[in-house]
Amino acid sequence: MKALVINGPNLNMLGVREPDIYGRSTYDDLVALCKRAGSDEGFELVDVYQSNHEGDLIDAIQRALGAYDGIVINPAAYTHTSVGILDAVKAVGLPCVEVHISAVEEREDFRQVSYVRAACIATITGEGLEGYAHALRLIKEHIQNR
Ligand code: DQA
C-alpha cells in the first residue's frame, strides 16, 4: 500500500504564512507527520510532493497511476479554480481524499467552491496538519474495504 500526498501553492510557506490561520508548524513538519502517520497506518510508502504550479500538480497526479494506491491532495488555492486538477484525479481513478488545513467552509465566499471534491471519496477541513493523518486513514480503510 503506497500513497502520494500532493500539496499546492504556498503550502511550502507553512509556519510563515498567516500563522493565525495555518499554524506555526513548517512544511518539513507536515512532511514528517505524513510519513509518520503513513507508517502508523501500515503504508509501505508515503511520498509527499509540493508545487506552486498547476501543471506540475497535474503531472504529479498523472504519474501516480500505477505507482500509488491512493492520493491525499490539498490543492490549496487551485481547489477553487482548477478543472484541470479535477480532470486529472478523475483520469487516474485512484481513491483521493481532499484535505484543507483551515475550515474553508467558515472562510470567504470564493473558498466555498471546490472543483476537486467531485472526484474525492472524502473531504477533511479544519483539522490542522492532523487532517493529513486522518486522510491517510480514510485512504487505507477505502483500500481495505473494496
Ligand atoms: C487551504 C485553503 C485554501 O483556500 C487556501 O487557498 C490554501 C490552503 C487550506 O489548507 O486550508 O492555500 O487549502
Side-chain angles (χ1 to χ4, degrees):
M1 210 170 50
K2 299 178 186 171
L4 177 63
V5 178
I6 299 177
N7 288 300
N10 301 306
L11 289 169
N12 56 315
M13 298 286 286
L14 280 177
V16 175
R17 86 181 276 215
E18 301 179 88
D20 45 321
I21 296 175
Y22 299 110
R24 298 225 171 253
S25 299
T26 65
Y27 185 71
D28 285 349
D29 294 333
L30 174 61
V31 173
L33 182 150
C34 290
K35 302 256 179 199
R36 193 171 57 244
S39 92
D40 288 352
E41 294 295 341
F43 283 88
E44 114 193 46
L45 178 71
V46 172
D47 283 329
V48 187
Y49 176 80
Q50 191 275 330
S51 176
N52 293 324
H53 306 282
E54 185 175 12
D56 288 345
L57 296 166
I58 292 169
D59 287 343
I61 295 164
Q62 291 185 4
R63 280 196 305 269
L65 185 59
Y68 299 93
D69 304 296
I71 296 173
V72 171
I73 191 164
N74 182 350
Y78 291 134
T79 306
H80 317 301
T81 61
S82 181
V83 177
I85 288 174
L86 166 65
D87 285 349
V89 174
K90 283 186 170 173
V92 298
L94 290 168
C96 185
V97 174
E98 174 191 14
V99 176
H100 299 287
I101 296 166
S102 66
V104 278
E105 65 278 8
E106 294 169 6
R107 299 181 64 194
E108 301 94 324
D109 287 350
F110 62 82
R111 294 186 208 275
Q112 303 313 311
V113 171
S114 167
Y115 284 94
V116 79
R117 195 160 300 169
C120 292
I121 60 169
T123 296
I124 293 162
T125 69
E127 296 184 13
L129 300 195
E130 284 300 323
Y132 288 79
H134 187 177
L136 285 163
R137 192 162 71 245
L138 293 180
I139 293 278
K140 179 191 83 173
E141 287 168 3
H142 181 87
I143 292 167
Q144 286 178 343
N145 292 334
R146 74 178 168 200

